[in-house]
Amino acid sequence: MQAREEIIILDFGSQYNQLIARRVREQGVYCRIFPFHVSAEEIARMAPKGLILSGGPSSVTSPGAPIPDAKIFDLGVPILGICYGLQVTAHLLGGRVDPSSEREYGHATVEQNTEESPLFEGLDHCFQVWMSHGDRVNLLPEGFKTIGVSAHSPYAAVADETRKRYGVQFHPEVVHTPDGSQILGNFVHHICGCGGGWTMGSFVDSSVKEIRAKVGDGKVLCAASGGVDSSVAAALVARAVGDKLTCVFVDNGLLRHGEGERVQSALRDRLGINLIFVDASRLFLERLAGVTDPEQKRKIIGRTFIEVFEEEAAKLGKVDYLVQGTLYPDVIESVSVAGPSATIKSHHNVGGLPEKMRLQLIEPLRELFKDEVRQVGLVLGLDEELVFRQPFPGPGLAVRVLGEVTRERCDLLRKADKIVIEEFKSSGWYRKVWQSFAVLLPVRSVGVMGDERTYDSAVAIRVVESQDGMTADWVDLPGELLRRISNRIVNEVKGINRVVYDISSKPPSTIEWE
C-alpha cells in the first residue's frame, strides 16, 4: 500500500484508546495504536506526522509505571499528551507531577489564558471538558507555557509551541468534551500538517491494488457467515480478484429467519461472487443433541464448521489464500502492552482453521473499525440491510436457545426473533441500538389463552446500546413498542405464552445470555 499520512497513538492503558483513533480518523487521517514501549527507532521508521500519548490509570511516579522511550521527544514530530500522556511528558522533560489534593472527575471548564495557540483555534475562550485524574502537573518543563486552566488544574493545557509539543489534562476524545473533535482536528491538521485525504473510497482503491498484487494467479477461499465483516471482506476481495474467489456459506441450522436466502442474494446475485451453499443443519443439530453447557456448544459448533468447511474446500483443489474479516479492534485486543492494558481476547475468526489448512491469510479489513467497515460496504455496493445489520454471535442461535438446542426450539426462537427485528425496523429503532434480539428460556410457565390453560415457553427480549460491545447498557424502550412485540409473539408464535424484558447492563451481565 502506498505511503500515506499517519498519526501514531501510544497506548498507556487508557480505556479510550480506540476512541482517540476513531476521532482522528474522522478527520480523514489514518492512525494506528501501538504499545507505549515501542522504540523511538521503530516509530521513526514508520515516519508518522505526529504522536498522541494516551491517558492511563497509572501514576508516573509509581514503581512499574508505563514510561515510553524518552527518545520519542527527539524525533522532531508534533506530540500531544492526553491526561497521563501530559503527565509522562512533563515527567520525562524535567517537570514535576504530584498527587493532587483536589482531584477532578467529570465535567469541568477550561479557560484559555492565551489566544495564540493553534491547538484551540476556533474555540470559545472558555469551553467544557471531561476530566478524569488524581495526579496533576505542578511544574512545567523548560520551554512549556500554560494555554488553559481549570478550577483544580493550573496546567489543564500546556504547550511548547517552538517544538510543537502539547498536553491536555482532559480527554478531548470523549463526547463529554463537546469541542474535542475540533481540538484533535487542530492538532492533526494545523499542527501536524495532515491533509485529511484518507477516505473509505481511497481505502478501497488501495486495498484492491494490494490484494490483486498479492494473490496473482492464486485461488482464494472465504467463509461467508452472512455478517457484515465477512460480507464486506468478501466483496472487497471479489472486486480485486474476481472469480479467483470462492465463498462457502454453511447453514448450520442456527441461523436467523431467511438468513441463507439473504446471503445468497447479497453475494451471489447482487455482486456475482462464486458462492457454495452447504446445508449442514442436520449434522450440526445431531451433534448438539442433549448438550446444554454453553462452552461445549461453542466447541462442537467450531469443530463441526471446520470439518464441513475443509470438506468443501478440498473439492476446489489447490487453494492458496483464506479471507478473514478481522477488524482493527481484534488486532488491538490481541496485543498486550505488557502492563496497563491486558490482552482482552485472542482473536480467531475461524477457530484454528488457518493453521490447520496452512493457507496464507488475507485480512483486508484489519485496519478498520466497525463503522468504517460499514462505509466500505456501501462503497462496494452492498445492500444497506446487510451493511447495517446488528452483530450476531458466531455460534448463532445456539447461545440464544438456552438449554438443549433442537430444530423445534430453534424454529420457535426464529419466529419470535423475526417479530423483534420487524418491529424494530418498522419503528425506526433498529439502527439506534447496538443489538435487539430474543432469547428462548429453558422454562415453561402457565398461561391462559381464550378459555384454555397453556403451559408453554418464555422468551426474553434483550436490547442494548453500546459503542463497541465491550460495555453495554439496556435501553429504556417506549412501552408501546414493547407491548406490540409481546402481543405479536404471544399471538403469532404457537408455543410461547410469556415475554420478559432484560434490564441488565454489561457488566455485570454479558450482552448474550450464554
Side-chain angles (χ1 to χ4, degrees), residues 409 411-424 436-441 449 454 456-463 477 480-502:
R409 299 192 75 213
D411 287 341
L412 204 60
L413 179 58
R414 256 188 286 271
K415 293 174 184 176
D417 192 64
K418 178 174 179 285
I419 291 172
V420 174
I421 294 172
E422 287 175 350
E423 288 297 331
F424 264 76
S436 51
F437 57 90
V439 179
L440 185 64
L441 305 181
M449 301 185 75
T454 62
D456 287 331
S457 297
V459 296
I461 306 302
R462 180 70 159 147
V463 185
L477 293 172
E480 181 56 35
L481 176 57
L482 288 172
R483 184 177 293 109
R484 284 201 308 272
I485 292 172
S486 178
N487 287 343
R488 284 195 60 191
I489 290 176
V490 171
N491 288 319
E492 298 176 26
V493 184
K494 184 176 175 56
I496 296 176
N497 68 354
R498 191 175 297 272
V499 178
V500 298
Y501 189 53
D502 182 349

Side-chain angles (χ1 to χ4, degrees), residues 208-355:
V208 164
K209 293 176 183 177
E210 184 182 67
I211 295 167
R212 191 173 290 156
K214 180 175 182 176
V215 170
D217 294 326
K219 288 186 177 181
V220 187
L221 186 64
C222 177
S225 69
V228 179
D229 304 337
S230 71
S231 298
V232 173
L236 183 55
V237 174
R239 176 169 290 193
V241 302
D243 59 8
K244 296 173 186 174
L245 168 69
T246 300
C247 290
V248 176
F249 180 81
V250 179
D251 183 350
N252 56 13
L254 308 168
L255 306 175
R256 286 180 291 191
H257 178 80
E259 192 76 48
E261 293 80 3
R262 280 195 295 271
V263 173
Q264 293 183 76
S265 174
L267 299 184
R268 179 192 291 157
D269 301 339
R270 185 178 177 90
L271 298 180
I273 294 175
N274 295 328
L275 180 69
I276 298 173
F277 181 85
V278 184
D279 185 354
S281 57
R282 176 179 295 181
L283 176 62
F284 278 85
L285 292 172
E286 284 177 352
R287 293 184 176 180
L288 288 168
V291 178
T292 59
D293 179 73
E295 189 60 26
Q296 189 65 17
K297 289 180 187 179
R298 293 174 184 272
K299 289 179 179 178
I300 290 171
I301 293 167
R303 287 196 301 266
T304 305
F305 176 82
I306 292 172
E307 180 182 321
V308 173
F309 189 84
E310 282 190 313
E311 184 178 333
E312 293 301 320
K315 298 175 184 177
L316 299 175
K318 184 178 182 297
V319 177
D320 306 285
Y321 299 93
L322 177 71
V323 178
Q324 284 192 343
T326 309
L327 304 191
Y328 194 47
D330 300 321
V331 177
I332 298 169
E333 292 168 357
S334 298
V335 179
S336 171
V337 298
S341 287
T343 299
I344 297 172
K345 64 181 179 180
S346 296
H347 175 68
H348 52 91
N349 276 43
V350 185
L353 196 58
E355 180 180 351

Side-chain angles (χ1 to χ4, degrees), residues 155-168:
Y155 304 123
V158 302
D160 178 344
E161 305 282 11
T162 302
R163 298 179 179 85
K164 295 186 177 181
R165 297 169 180 171
Y166 298 83
V168 293

Side-chain angles (χ1 to χ4, degrees), residues 108-110 112 120 123-129 170 179 183:
T109 299
V110 168
Q112 297 186 57
F120 294 152
L123 271 66
D124 291 338
H125 182 71
C126 293
F127 54 91
Q128 297 298 305
V129 300
F170 55 88
D179 295 312
I183 294 169

